[in-house]
Amino acid sequence: MNITIIGTGYVGLVSGVCYAEIGNDVICVDKDPYKIDLLNKGKVPIYEPGLKELIATNRLGGRLAFTSNLSNAVRHSDIVIIAVGTPPLPSGEANLSYIDQAAIEIAKAMNGYKIITVKSTVPVGTNERLAKLIKSHTNMAFDSISLPEFLREGSAIQDTLYPDRVVIGAECQKAADTMVQLHKPLTQNIVVTDIRSAEMIKYASNAFLATKISFINEIANICEKVGADVTKVAEGMGYDKRIGSSFLKAGIGYGGSCFPKDTSALIQIAGNVDYEFKLLRSVVEVNQDQRFNVIRKLETIFDGELNGTTIAVWGLSFKPNTDDVRESPALEIIQHLVDNGVRVKTYDPVAMESFQSLFGKEGVIWCEDAMEAAQDADALCLLTEWHEFAKVDLHELQKVLKQPILIDGRNVFNEEQVLGTGFIYYSVGRPNLNQGVKEKVPAL
Ligand code: UDX
């Protein structure tokens, strides 16, 4: 099939490459000529394992092209997929101005029937509104499809080529059938439904996963008080098929471009129809507070006096295998430390530059590697579970730190590694492992 994708962000670029990989002819469009230029030179504007290689093979195979000429791309294609950003407005609602603009430009470029598909996450009712907007700018026939995206950064290609399910929201059976054909090589689990339900499936899925994370984080906080181990609790819960084992890792809370944005948007969507989504409000509140457990533990260890200390921070991205730092807990944690007179030394394997572009370069010491960041620090906080941190020998680490204090915000280290070292070690929801100044652990 001939496909045009509008927007070369995470969703657009990865989807485009994967549609090409399964044999379609794909043109990826972006307004930003710099991005298109990079892509045409074989470079990739985002960090995503495997993406660069897949782009190269599919460009070479003649199935994938990049352009900023939207009109030509639309005219060349039967299916046009909108994958532009819907960033949050200050109210929490999604900003739909980019998507509206894309719809109008597609309408003006149309030279015949098209299936116009929205992959961007949009509030319920948006596809219907967009269809009216397109109709007001063209006489050509088209059908609207809602095609919510469920890929995760860091495993985006795997998630796209082997999805758990594909959801297709359609009013027209023929257009739905075409979309089913397109996705059949990827999975048997294809849910065809009405457009509004498809839009809701995306928000409900992300809200549910965010709820699982806040739930296990609260269980972890209780585990610390009652002397239970949250990793064992999660394991014991996860074997129950009704619960499932994924998204039960306690830590410092979720970040990223989706969960924080989509939970706020769903609260707002509910509010717009006079429904207060109390459960989801609490999920957001718990998540916001969870990151400060790291600070609370440090404050207890240093008797409330962080001013003048040197704290090392390992990990800046909101999760491993991505350079994305949007809504990363590290942003607020480091800001709090800097505001309280702490000398912060930090290192991340790939997210240093992206972190600096959001946080600024001032006020923090940026290090070349993990050990350099730890050197002479009074304590170390591990905020992202990058593989290279898990491999560190704690005895070697202990030698470079001024004081062997480790706050493991992601439960990276296990009992075998920690016990027997001289570390004052605090993790999340594992009081049996917390050692060193146990009597000082805050009741969380
Ligand atoms: C998420 C959804 O998983 C994906 O389906 C949707 O399309 C986009 O949003 P992503 O934001 O890439 O994907 O990351 P994900 O792997 O879901 O992790 C989100 C956050 O939750 C991370 O900060 C991660 O550290 C945190 N998390 C995840 C936990 O704290 N515990 C867990 O058990 C799982």
Side-chain angles (χ1 to χ4, degrees):
M1 295 184 195
N2 291 328
I3 302 172
T4 279
I5 309 227
I6 318 285
T8 60
Y10 251 101
V11 170
L13 190 54
V14 173
S15 306
V17 172
C18 291
Y19 284 130
E21 177 68 12
I22 56 170
N24 299 288
D25 282 321
V26 179
I27 308 174
C28 291
V29 180
D30 204 291
K31 267 192 162 5
D32 183 349
Y34 172 73
K35 254 185 173 182
I36 293 299
D37 197 37
L38 268 187
L39 287 161
N40 277 327
K41 284 183 180 143
K43 295 186 181 152
V44 185
I46 53 173
Y47 175 84
E48 183 64 35
L51 185 57
K52 194 172 174 193
E53 295 75 9
L54 221 52
I55 289 178
T57 35
N58 283 288
R59 281 185 70 213
L60 214 65
R63 294 182 299 274
L64 181 66
F66 300 104
T67 180
S68 29
N69 190 331
L70 183 142
S71 306
N72 277 353
V74 167
R75 279 196 277 272
H76 183 80
S77 302
D78 308 312
I79 299 172
V80 181
I81 298 177
I82 303 176
V84 298
T86 53
L89 289 165
S91 63
E93 281 176 302
N95 178 354
L96 300 175
S97 60
Y98 303 113
I99 212 164
D100 286 1
Q101 206 180 335
I104 293 170
E105 285 179 40
I106 293 165
K108 288 185 176 165
M110 276 165 67
N111 57 341
Y113 171 80
K114 310 278 171 199
I115 293 179
I116 301 179
T117 301
V118 174
K119 246 187 200 282
S120 310
T121 301
V122 290
V124 180
T126 303
N127 273 279
E128 284 171 21
R129 190 180 60 72
L130 283 179
K132 285 191 192 134
L133 187 65
I134 294 168
K135 244 184 213 146
S136 67
H137 286 85
T138 183
N139 294 322
M140 300 288 168
F142 69 94
D143 281 304
S144 290
I145 295 283
S146 165
L147 187 69
E149 181 52 65
F150 302 101
L151 60 80
R152 287 165 300 174
E153 293 179 19
S155 53
I157 290 167
Q158 182 78 9
D159 288 350
T160 307
L161 289 177
Y162 308 96
D164 287 343
R165 80 311 207 175
V166 167
V167 174
I168 295 167
E171 303 304 340
C172 161
Q173 190 57 48
K174 200 161 160 260
D177 290 345
T178 305
M179 296 310 280
V180 170
Q181 283 311 316
L182 174 63
H183 292 92
K184 251 194 180 151
L186 303 176
T187 178
Q188 302 283 327
N189 302 336
I190 299 182
V191 178
V192 178
T193 181
D194 62 276
I195 285 180
R196 285 181 176 233
S197 302
E199 290 168 333
M200 189 51 135
I201 287 169
K202 171 67 194 241
Y203 281 108
S205 300
N206 275 357
F208 187 77
L209 292 171
T211 303
K212 271 186 114 175
I213 296 170
S214 279
F215 179 86
I216 202 67
N217 280 336
E218 288 218 283
I219 293 292
N221 297 343
I222 300 166
C223 282
E224 289 187 5
K225 285 188 168 200
V226 300
D229 179 340
V230 73
T231 54
K232 287 290 160 197
V233 174
E235 188 187 348
M237 289 168 65
Y239 284 120
D240 186 329
K241 289 194 187 68
R242 295 167 302 173
I243 297 173
S245 60
S246 55
F247 280 73
L248 286 182
K249 264 199 242 132
I252 54 172
Y254 59 79
S257 65
C258 286
F259 287 170
K261 169 173 81 77
D262 293 349
T263 45
S264 298
L266 185 51
I267 289 168
Q268 195 62 47
I269 289 166
N272 290 346
V273 289
D274 286 333
Y275 188 87
E276 198 198 343
F277 200 153
K278 291 185 198 142
L279 176 61
L280 199 54
R281 268 192 199 288
S282 301
V283 166
V284 172
E285 207 179 300
V286 167
N287 189 61
Q288 180 60 26
D289 192 55
Q290 188 69 13
R291 61 195 60 177
F292 288 102
N293 280 351
V294 172
I295 306 280
R296 284 191 279 268
K297 285 174 181 169
L298 281 175
E299 281 173 349
T300 306
I301 290 165
F302 291 101
D303 287 326
E305 194 49 72
L306 292 180
N307 192 0
T309 58
T310 299
I311 307 285
V313 172
W314 281 2
L316 300 170
S317 54
F318 79 100
K319 66 172 192 178
N321 297 322
T322 176
D323 64 349
D324 198 338
V325 300
R326 284 175 289 178
E327 302 287 336
S328 174
L331 285 163
E332 265 187 286
I333 292 171
I334 292 180
Q335 188 63 59
H336 183 94
L337 293 173
V338 170
D339 290 348
N340 283 277
V342 172
R343 188 168 164 263
V344 176
K345 296 177 76 186
T346 190
Y347 167 74
D348 186 288
V350 303
M352 305 271 273
E353 253 179 56
S354 49
F355 193 85
Q356 285 168 357
S357 64
L358 268 191
F359 186 87
K361 284 193 175 179
E362 303 302 314
V364 171
I365 300 163
W366 310 98
C367 299
E368 295 283 318
D369 60 53
M371 284 302 177
E372 186 193 326
Q375 185 78 45
D376 295 326
D378 294 298
L380 166 65
C381 300
L382 192 161
L383 303 186
T384 315
E385 65 275 38
W386 284 98
H387 185 58
E388 71 168 73
F389 300 152
K391 287 191 307 185
V392 163
D393 179 340
L394 288 183
H395 294 282
E396 293 303 314
L397 177 61
Q398 195 173 337
K399 285 185 202 157
V400 303
L401 284 162
K402 200 195 284 173
Q403 302 190 68
I405 298 173
L406 173 53
I407 311 287
D408 180 355
R410 300 288 188 175
N411 289 347
V412 162
F413 295 102
N414 59 36
E415 195 162 345
E416 210 172 284
Q417 292 165 293
V418 174
L419 296 180
T421 68
F423 265 99
I424 294 168
Y425 176 82
Y426 288 103
S427 53
V428 184
R430 299 188 299 175
N432 56 324
L433 262 184
N434 292 350
Q435 58 173 27
V437 284
K438 198 166 190 164
E439 70 284 0
K440 286 188 177 175
V441 188
L444 294 170

